[in-house]
Structure formats: C-alpha cells, structure tokens
Amino acid sequence: MRINVIGGGPAGLYFALLMKRHDPSHEVTVYERNPPDATFGWGVVFSGRTLRNLREADPESHRRLTESFETWDNVDVVLRDSKVTVRGNDFSGVARLGLLNILQERCAELGVGLRFNTAVEDLDALAAGCDLLVGADGVGSFVRERYAEEFRPALERGRNRYIWYGTRRLFHGLTLTFRESGAGVFAAHSYKFSKELSTFIVECDEGTWTRAGLDRMADAEARGYLARVFERDLGGEELLSNNSRWINFLLVRNERWSRRNVVLLGDALHTAHFSIGSGTKLAIEDSIALFRHITAGTDVASALAEFERARRPVIEEYQQAAHESRVWFERAGEHFRLDPLPFAFSLMTRSRRVDYESLRRRDPSFVAAYEEAVARA
Ligand SMILES: Cc1cc2nc3c(=O)[nH]c(=O)nc-3n(C[C@H](O)[C@H](O)[C@H](O)COP(=O)(O)OP(=O)(O)OC[C@H]3O[C@@H](n4cnc5c(N)ncnc54)[C@H](O)[C@@H]3O)c2cc1C
C-alpha cells in the first residue's frame, strides 16, 4: 500500500510505524511542517492501561519509552494550607519531545519516509497519489478544514484560559493546586516528567485572567505574577516558557471520520480536555485501532467505516468524561470554599469515571477520612 500521513505528532508517527512494521513493502511517508526537535509544551501523562496497549502494539518503542518514564501512584490536592493525598492511581509522565524522538527513531529504522519542514498544501494531489491519506495534523487540522463539507466538524471553545509552562520544581505525583489571588482562583496541574523538570499548567476563568491583568502582560511578567501566586508550591523555582501562550481549550468533534481514502486521527478528529490527561493516549490508541482495521484484509473504504463504527463510542465516552472534568475546573471558584476533604472528593469524582466504590478500592484510607469529615460536618 502507499500511505501518506500529514502530521508527525504521536498519532501520525505511531500509525506510520505500525503499518511499516507490519509489512515493509508498504510505502509510508510522514509529512511534518516542523523540524524533528520542535515541539510545544513539556510532559504528557499515560496511565498503566495505556502502557499495556503500547507494549502489545510495539514492544520496542514501549521499552525505549519506559526507560525515560517517571511513575507515581498519588494525586495530591493542594487547597489553601492543606494537602490531601489520594493513592492507588497508576500514572507515568514523559517529555513530549522525548516521546516524539523515540517514535521518529523507530519510524526511521523501519523505513518510514520522514519529510520534516514540509507543510502540505496541495492535499488533493497527495490524496490522489496514495491508497490511504491520514490527517493526523493536530487540533487546527488543515485536512479537516479542507474537507469540512464531508467531515462536518463541530468546534466549541472552553471558557477558561490556560497556559502550559514547565518548572524545575519536581512534583512527585499529579499535583492539583488551587490558590486565590486578589483577582480570583487559579488552578495548577503539575507533575514531573523527567529527573529535572515538571509540567506546570495554569488555568483560570476569563474574569480572573483580565482582573489580574494577564491579558496585557508580556511573557516574563505573566510568569513572574503566577510564580508569586504559586510561591509556596514552587519553592523558589521559576516558571519556564516554551512558546507558551494563553489559550482556550478547543473541543473538536466530527460528524464523519473519513471521506473516500482520507481519514482523520488524533486531535484532528477529536479532543479531550487536558485535565483528564488523555489527548496523547487517545491519539496513539486511535492509531492502533486504525492499524488493526486497515490490516484486517478488507478494502480501504470498509476498513475506514469499520474503524469509525468501533472507535466512535470509545471516543464519545472519553469526551463526555473530559467535558465533566472541564466544567468542574471552570467552576473551581465555586468549589473553592469547600473543606479540603470534600473538595478533594469532588475533584477526584468529577469526571464520573471514578465513583465512590472505585475510589474506596484505590485508597480506602482517603475514603474513610472523607466519610469521617462528612459525619463531623
Ligand atoms: C496544555 C495541554 C496539556 C496537555 N497535556 C496532556 C497530557 O498530560 N497527556 C496527554 O496525553 N495529552 C496531553 N495534551 C494533549 C496532547 O498534546 C495532544 O492530544 C496530542 O499531541 C495529539 O496528538 P496528535 O498527533 O493528534 O497531534 P499533534 O501532537 O498536535 O501533532 C500534529 C502535527 O501535525 C503537524 N502539522 C499540522 N499541520 C500540518 C501541515 N499542513 N503539514 C504538515 N504537518 C502539519 C504539526 O506540526 C504537528 O507536529 C495536552 C495538550 C495541551 C494543549
């Protein structure tokens, strides 16, 4: 088969390597507009279950990835002066750039054609010259927009502003910190993803953002302001920028997932709010699912229809959970007055994927402390 992939993010690279590994006679080319070591952001999170899927799909990239992983089982909820720890969670953090470099290496050694610094413009020509064209070109997908009449995308902006920073302060575990400044409530999502660095995402509502003057501040000034808001948490370390800018989350859905021999994958196809940390996981698991359908022995059109039929319910379930989680963070100011244990309980169960009983199984002592606090109130 001749396969063209637009976008060298996790979705595009992983699909390309699976196809080439399955059959070296496939001609697989990935077109990426950036150079190999350009990326946005810092680290990403995987759950234990995602790692098992990766091991099954390609043991070699799984082995290389897990060598550089930072793993933890605690979620720490920091509210005002108290910290509540919830154990029994199974997560790992890895640098986004490290992940991409491993997938690029793996693609190169398997013989995938990697065309960096190549922004695709003539999509029709590229689609006509191959059996399958994969639009894995991220949240602002050019492929999705070019064929919008057929994909019929629905886009929706989240209400909060957020920004993705790094810091040398090491957060052992997923740490969710809530601080109030004179302007309003700020939430930080942080976790270490290497021996030296942590991700530090800050979000707040629009009113807090403008009252704080963040809409008018240059990069260094904004980092200075937020470093003061999170002074007790950062332990004197500064916030680090990597083309960091304030954005609103963009929810992406598509009424149709493919047209003729063109299919969307990863963020181009769907997004899920970062507070459930599943964007990269979903992108890679899309690739595994598409790979299985394409190699099942049917023609491309049937494989794409079957991919959508099987995968859509999984994605819709995640998007629903991510929506609940996003709305919880958009209302963080309302939850902020709760006592620490009820606050942590509300936070842990926000997406409704984790209920009372599963939380009790994960961390019985946390649930017992919560029940005691509720009984006392
Ligand atoms: C603040 C924040 C925090 C996040 N945290 C997490 C997390 O903890 N865990 C997690 O799993 N995910 C997280 N994500 C989401 C994650 O980054 C994405 O979901 C994931 O990268 C999607 O992979 P992808 O391959 O679909 O797209 P991308 O990684 O966006 O890759 C798309 C690629 O296509 C290229 N491209 C675009 N247009 C063209 C063109 N015309 N021609 C050629 N190339 C093109 C781009 O340069 C890019 O390299 C987070 C995202 C944000 C914004």
Side-chain angles (χ1 to χ4, degrees):
M1 272 179 98
R2 182 178 284 186
I3 301 169
N4 287 327
V5 179
I6 319 290
L13 291 171
Y14 206 73
F15 178 71
L17 82 82
L18 290 181
M19 288 303 300
K20 191 70 181 168
R21 175 172 168 257
H22 176 74
D23 184 346
S25 73
H26 290 323
E27 227 178 90
V28 187
T29 310
V30 177
Y31 297 85
E32 167 55 50
R33 65 181 170 191
N34 288 326
D37 50 4
T39 191
F40 64 88
W42 299 88
V44 295
V45 183
F46 288 117
S47 69
R49 190 187 300 170
T50 303
L51 287 178
R52 287 190 285 281
N53 291 337
L54 294 184
R55 188 177 53 209
E56 206 182 300
D58 181 42
E60 184 52 33
S61 53
H62 172 269
R63 187 187 62 74
R64 293 182 201 176
L65 265 175
T66 47
E67 276 170 9
S68 53
F69 262 24
E70 291 296 314
T71 53
W72 63 82
D73 89 328
N74 58 308
V75 175
D76 286 351
V77 181
V78 179
L79 177 72
R80 299 187 292 272
D81 292 325
S82 58
K83 178 166 93 175
V84 175
T85 295
V86 185
R87 297 215 164 265
N89 307 282
D90 183 9
F91 290 121
S92 305
V94 67
R96 177 176 154 94
L97 184 55
L99 165 70
L100 291 180
N101 288 157
I102 288 169
L103 299 182
Q104 288 160 359
E105 256 171 46
R106 193 77 185 109
C107 279
E109 65 200 28
L110 289 165
V112 171
L114 292 170
R115 306 261 177 90
F116 292 105
N117 303 304
T118 310
V120 170
E121 277 160 22
D122 190 351
L123 208 50
D124 294 339
L126 212 59
C130 65
D131 302 297
L132 175 67
L133 184 136
V134 179
D137 52 343
V139 64
S141 176
F142 159 67
V143 178
R144 186 182 67 228
E145 294 317 309
R146 172 70 186 79
Y147 301 126
E149 276 183 22
E150 285 137 299
F151 291 128
R152 294 198 286 275
L155 308 180
E156 186 191 317
R157 262 162 56 101
R159 283 170 27 203
N160 274 5
R161 294 270 173 176
Y162 74 92
I163 191 159
W164 201 355
Y165 290 127
T167 176
R168 290 194 191 84
R169 174 77 168 180
L170 294 183
F171 292 91
H172 304 276
L174 175 62
T175 308
L176 300 167
T177 307
F178 298 81
R179 297 272 172 219
E180 200 173 26
S181 77
V185 172
F186 288 89
H189 310 238
S190 53
Y191 51 88
K192 67 174 172 177
F193 63 85
S194 74
K195 299 273 179 270
E196 296 87 31
L197 289 166
S198 297
T199 291
F200 199 88
I201 303 167
V202 180
E203 69 169 306
C204 63
D205 64 37
E206 188 80 22
T208 302
W209 191 66
T210 45
R211 278 191 299 276
L214 286 159
D215 53 338
R216 300 179 299 277
M217 283 182 205
D219 174 56
E221 199 186 345
R223 284 186 288 124
Y225 176 89
L226 293 169
R228 287 191 294 282
V229 171
F230 291 102
E231 198 169 5
R232 278 172 285 174
D233 314 294
L234 288 167
E237 291 293 350
E238 58 178 339
L239 290 174
L240 308 169
S241 178
N242 174 2
N243 290 324
S244 306
R245 56 194 181 90
W246 288 100
I247 42 178
N248 292 73
F249 170 73
L250 188 68
L251 175 67
V252 175
R253 283 176 294 200
N254 283 275
E255 228 170 88
R256 288 191 57 198
W257 287 18
S258 61
R259 51 87 69 188
R260 299 189 201 161
N261 64 338
V262 181
V263 65
L264 298 175
L265 216 56
D267 273 13
L269 179 61
H270 51 69
T271 54
H273 191 248
F274 58 86
S275 58
I276 65 163
S278 288
T280 307
K281 158 215 163 69
L282 290 179
I284 291 185
E285 289 176 350
D286 276 358
S287 308
I288 298 172
L290 181 63
F291 161 74
R292 292 201 175 126
H293 289 291
I294 291 288
T295 52
T298 57
D299 59 289
V300 167
S302 314
L304 296 185
E306 200 44 33
F307 165 64
E308 177 174 341
R309 194 199 55 75
R311 184 87 180 133
R312 188 187 275 281
V314 179
I315 294 299
E316 287 182 351
E317 198 188 316
Y318 267 97
Q319 285 190 314
Q320 185 54 36
H323 172 77
E324 305 287 350
S325 176
R326 181 186 109 199
V327 168
W328 193 98
F329 277 93
E330 288 175 349
R331 294 190 179 144
E334 295 167 32
H335 308 301
F336 194 73
R337 300 287 153 222
L338 290 172
D339 286 336
L341 280 162
F343 181 89
F345 185 86
S346 170
L347 180 57
M348 291 303 294
T349 52
R350 69 194 183 280
S351 74
R352 302 189 192 173
R353 281 174 69 80
V354 178
D355 61 15
Y356 212 100
E357 283 315 311
S358 64
L359 203 50
R360 194 196 298 280
R361 277 195 300 279
R362 282 181 197 202
D363 190 341
S365 59
F366 165 70
V367 172
Y370 164 71
E371 285 171 346
E372 216 180 291
V374 171
R376 265 200 321 267

